[in-house]
Amino acid sequence: MSSQPRIGFVSLGCPKALVDSERILTRLRAEGYGIVPSYTDADLVVVNTCGFIDSAVEESLDAIGEAIAENGKVIVTGCLGARADEVLAAHPQVLSVSGPQAYEQVMGAVHEHLPPPADPFTALLPPGGIKLTPRHYAYLKISEGCNHRCTFCIIPSMRGDLVSRPAGDVMEEAENLVQAGVKELLIVSQDTSAYGVDVRYGTSFWKGRPIKTRLPELARALGGLGVWVRMHYIYPYPNVDDLVPLMADGLILPYLDIPLQHADMRILKAMKRPAAAEDTLRRIERWRSICPDITLRSTFIVGFPGETDAEFETLLQFLEAAQLDRVGCFTYSPVEGAAANALPDAVPEAVKEERHARFMEVQARISAVRLQAKVGRTLAVIIDEVDAEGAIGRSAADAPEIDGQVFVDAQDLKVGDIVEVTVTGADEHDLFGVPA
């Protein structure tokens, strides 16, 4: 009897890519392949790559090279795989190259170079499939692709136009995850608020009941599962306003991740981004009036081609006016294939870095003040880690890995617990507290 074929897996990139990895791993496990954590124990290695910015391309090519050096049999997939010529130029030894969401191509390549065992071990597959996150939270991808053509981004060229999953299918997966012990669902896609546009918000069914393929209806249904539901990658479309009352009612977490990217009108137009700063500020004010506890997260780009000192100052003024809770900032990176690379007046690297530092200094001050205002309050906290020094968790205001943490002075908690914590201190990023 032959031994079980073993696969090593390297997953790079964003949460959407992580979900792709989980789907491939679930297929592999269902077909009887073993998943191992080291190159030396693997018969073959799959590398799921990222190709969004230059540093991610470099990381992906390095990971492929390491897998080849340590193992020799490597299959490449993911966003960088959409640029197969670039991968093969750097690493001609790879066995197969495919783009994102190419599950059948990946499985076909695996079958070709490492045939599956005769009897799949389907009984070993957990109800929610294979997950790369801790057991108590999971990313739930509701659509693929994007209809936008932002000039700094190449995602549509790699992942295609928007393709929404039927709401019934999403709900079935969500319910399986909850039954498997997941306590927090993180809703992701390239453009979450556009969910259903491609199918004209058509109706599907879940448990015999009709449900529209539209974000507010999906959010309401997800909120009925009795777990935390966190919304990511929300463009500021009008239908976002329909989510805020659901947050005020406690159906979904009062958390919106809205990548605004800039605040100056000319820069936004050059980026081909929606919205205007004045409109956004008015909407933020309205959201906070409906749901005072709402947490607003966003990301911005500084040093976009042609960005002047005055336009950067406009961005800083917006930060001061908006008082966002969580903010990320990136310097513009001329990703190969991005339309913005052809724009005139590239900003020197030194100026980009100086603007990035100033931006983060302003936001750090804002964050410190907003977190300090939580001292004395009691918050629900989901526990991610417990060690000899205490427990580390997150409040409703904190998504895993990208936001802050809550350090809890207690050793008797378990990972996955949701507990009430009284906040006793704060810094620029994190909170400190004790069980209430």
Side-chain angles (χ1 to χ4, degrees):
M1 181 176 178
S2 62
S3 61
Q4 182 184 27
R6 297 164 301 181
I7 304 283
F9 205 100
V10 179
S11 183
L12 304 173
C14 66
K16 282 90 71 180
L18 186 76
V19 173
D20 289 345
S21 295
E22 291 172 342
R23 290 178 179 173
I24 296 168
L25 284 166
T26 298
R27 287 281 300 274
L28 290 168
R29 198 75 180 94
E31 293 191 9
Y33 290 95
I35 309 300
V36 295
S38 68
Y39 294 122
T40 54
D41 292 335
D43 299 308
L44 180 150
V45 177
V46 178
V47 181
N48 188 13
T49 59
C50 179
F52 183 52
I53 57 177
D54 289 345
S55 60
V57 171
E58 183 178 349
E59 180 186 19
S60 294
L61 291 175
D62 286 348
I64 296 167
E66 180 180 285
I68 291 171
E70 296 292 332
N71 182 276
K73 297 179 70 175
V74 178
I75 290 171
V76 174
T77 188
C79 287
L80 184 59
R83 291 143 62 179
D85 291 347
E86 187 172 345
V87 174
L88 292 170
H91 301 294
Q93 310 98 309
V94 298
L95 302 176
S96 170
V97 183
S98 58
Q101 306 143 231
Y103 312 126
E104 297 302 327
Q105 286 177 260
V106 173
M107 294 306 298
V110 171
H111 293 161
E112 179 182 351
H113 297 285
L114 186 64
D119 299 310
F121 297 101
T122 53
L124 299 179
L125 194 64
I130 302 296
K131 293 295 169 187
L132 298 176
T133 50
R135 185 171 181 265
H136 61 286
Y137 70 81
Y139 293 100
L140 180 61
K141 185 156 59 169
I142 64 173
S143 66
E144 301 283 3
C146 182
N147 288 342
H148 290 286
R149 295 297 182 266
C150 302
T151 58
F152 56 83
C153 181
I154 58 172
I155 291 295
S157 67
M158 295 187 288
R159 289 186 171 264
D161 289 337
L162 177 71
V163 179
S164 301
R165 295 177 62 193
D169 290 357
V170 175
M171 289 304 303
E172 183 176 351
E173 181 181 353
E175 187 175 42
N176 286 339
L177 290 169
V178 172
Q179 290 173 350
V182 167
K183 296 184 179 180
E184 179 182 10
L185 295 170
L186 299 108
I187 311 307
V188 297
S189 67
Q190 298 301 329
D191 181 3
T192 300
S193 41
Y195 176 66
V197 167
D198 55 311
V199 294
R200 298 184 181 180
Y201 307 118
T203 299
S204 65
F205 291 85
W206 176 57
K207 291 188 170 180
R209 299 193 302 268
I211 177 172
K212 267 192 170 186
T213 303
R214 184 172 174 266
L215 189 59
E217 285 82 354
L218 179 65
R220 182 177 292 277
L222 289 168
L225 295 177
V227 297
W228 284 15
V229 177
R230 189 183 300 276
M231 294 288 170
H232 283 281
Y233 309 110
I234 303 282
Y235 280 70
Y237 297 145
N239 68 356
V240 176
D241 296 347
D242 297 332
L243 296 177
V244 180
L246 302 182
M247 298 176 182
D249 291 341
L251 272 177
I252 62 175
L253 291 181
Y255 180 99
L256 275 181
D257 173 16
I258 304 181
L260 297 171
Q261 307 299 6
H262 213 280
D264 180 84
M265 281 297 295
R266 191 193 70 81
I267 294 293
L268 286 170
K269 184 176 180 181
M271 290 179 168
K272 292 191 176 178
R273 292 289 296 181
E278 295 81 3
D279 293 339
T280 301
L281 288 173
R282 282 193 292 270
R283 293 180 74 191
I284 288 173
E285 183 178 2
R286 186 163 67 252
W287 295 338
R288 285 175 170 156
S289 70
I290 296 169
C291 183
D293 285 334
I294 193 170
T295 294
L296 298 175
R297 149 169 271 282
S298 192
T299 51
F300 295 86
I301 296 173
V302 297
F304 187 81
E307 181 189 59
T308 65
D309 289 340
E311 288 163 342
F312 175 67
E313 290 297 332
T314 297
L315 176 56
L316 295 185
Q317 291 165 13
F318 174 84
L319 270 190
E320 296 281 10
Q323 294 287 298
L324 300 172
D325 300 275
R326 302 293 193 188
V327 170
C329 179
F330 303 91
T331 58
Y332 175 75
S333 174
V335 184
E336 183 179 346
N341 296 344
L343 295 175
D345 303 320
V347 177
E349 289 299 323
V351 176
K352 291 182 190 177
E353 294 300 333
E354 185 268 340
R355 289 176 182 174
H356 180 270
R358 287 181 60 199
F359 180 102
M360 294 310 297
E361 182 181 354
V362 170
Q363 181 55 36
R365 174 171 46 78
I366 293 170
S367 177
V369 171
R370 295 190 70 80
L371 290 176
Q372 188 64 37
K374 296 185 179 185
V375 174
R377 292 184 57 188
T378 297
L379 307 174
V381 172
I382 189 167
I383 302 301
D384 289 331
E385 182 181 342
V386 179
D387 58 26
E389 297 182 2
I392 303 173
R394 295 173 290 106
S395 72
D398 307 302
E401 300 186 6
I402 57 173
D403 292 328
Q405 296 174 309
V406 182
F407 294 85
V408 186
D409 187 9
Q411 278 83 31
D412 58 345
L413 301 175
K414 297 177 183 178
V415 171
D417 284 349
I418 298 179
V419 297
E420 295 293 308
V421 173
T422 299
V423 181
T424 58
D427 60 20
E428 292 177 351
H429 304 289
D430 303 312
L431 297 175
F432 305 85
V434 296

